[in-house]
Amino acid sequence: MVWIKVAFVLVVLMVWQANALTMKNCDRRLPVQITSVNFKPDPIIVRKGRKVTFSGTLKSYRTVGSTYTLKLKVVKKGWIDVGVPCMGSFGSCEYKGLKCEQMLPYLNVPKCPPPSGSYTLKERTMVIPSVNLPSFLTSGKYYMKAEVFDEANRRRIGCVEVNFQAKS
């Protein structure tokens, strides 16, 4: 179940192909690059019970280990940008000890550690949980940065920045 949340966060953070959303890989020299993502709806509707569907592709240019750390930075844009703290599994969180084996049901990875190649994130649907914040705090423009590190050598293997909109 943890990997479903992490996969959702990764996809949300990595790429969005929609008019209201923009994405870029932080560093083209890193071994993992996100190449496409499909995401519905746009903008995200932050309301309990709403469904969000996502899928995508990535390219790994070399073997990148089998245990990862995901660092997320989330900022609500406005007159004054406000960092979103980690609240459970939402916000600016750090996830350590993510195992390659946990990805096997969601990515078409043939083995662990994954060899270089292109991989598809199978279409997944997530139901939005209860969010106990007023709509003026959940609705608006956001910036997110996701960095993935190989825990064996602590090197950054992937990074993406996304600007998106949410409404409640």
Side-chain angles (χ1 to χ4, degrees):
M1 190 61 162
V2 170
W3 185 248
I4 292 173
K5 290 179 184 177
V6 172
F8 173 74
V9 170
L10 277 171
V11 171
V12 169
L13 293 172
M14 292 183 184
V15 183
W16 246 305
Q17 294 176 336
N19 293 334
L21 304 163
T22 61
M23 167 296 213
K24 70 176 184 172
N25 285 289
C26 303
D27 186 344
R28 288 285 182 191
R29 296 170 295 174
L30 295 176
V32 177
Q33 300 290 314
I34 304 306
T35 54
S36 72
V37 169
N38 301 306
F39 208 90
K40 299 180 270 189
D42 174 32
I44 295 172
I45 300 171
V46 183
R47 193 173 300 134
K48 182 180 179 181
R50 294 297 300 237
K51 292 182 180 180
V52 179
T53 302
F54 56 92
S55 62
T57 59
L58 62 90
K59 183 159 183 123
S60 178
Y61 292 95
R62 65 176 169 81
T63 301
V64 290
S66 59
T67 305
Y68 315 103
T69 294
L70 170 64
K71 291 183 181 180
L72 304 176
K73 177 182 179 181
V74 182
V75 176
K76 178 147 186 334
K77 306 295 280 179
W79 290 65
I80 298 173
D81 293 347
V82 178
V84 178
C86 185
M87 298 175 284
S89 61
F90 176 79
S92 300
C93 302
E94 185 172 317
Y95 301 91
K96 293 183 178 183
L98 303 173
K99 304 286 185 194
C100 174
E101 292 81 8
Q102 294 170 299
M103 296 187 315
L104 293 177
Y106 310 107
L107 289 170
N108 68 340
V109 177
K111 64 179 183 172
C112 291
S116 61
S118 295
Y119 299 104
T120 301
L121 176 66
K122 298 173 186 174
E123 187 171 276
R124 308 286 305 161
T125 298
M126 179 184 174
V127 178
I128 301 291
S130 178
V131 178
N132 295 321
L133 294 172
S135 64
F136 73 90
L137 291 177
T138 56
S139 295
K141 295 180 180 181
Y142 287 83
Y143 162 84
M144 289 196 270
K145 181 177 184 178
E147 298 177 282
V148 180
F149 296 85
D150 182 339
E151 287 190 2
N153 58 23
R154 297 189 178 131
R155 289 188 180 168
R156 188 168 70 160
I157 59 173
C159 179
V160 70
E161 296 174 305
V162 177
N163 291 287
F164 70 97
Q165 292 183 353
K167 68 179 185 177
S168 56

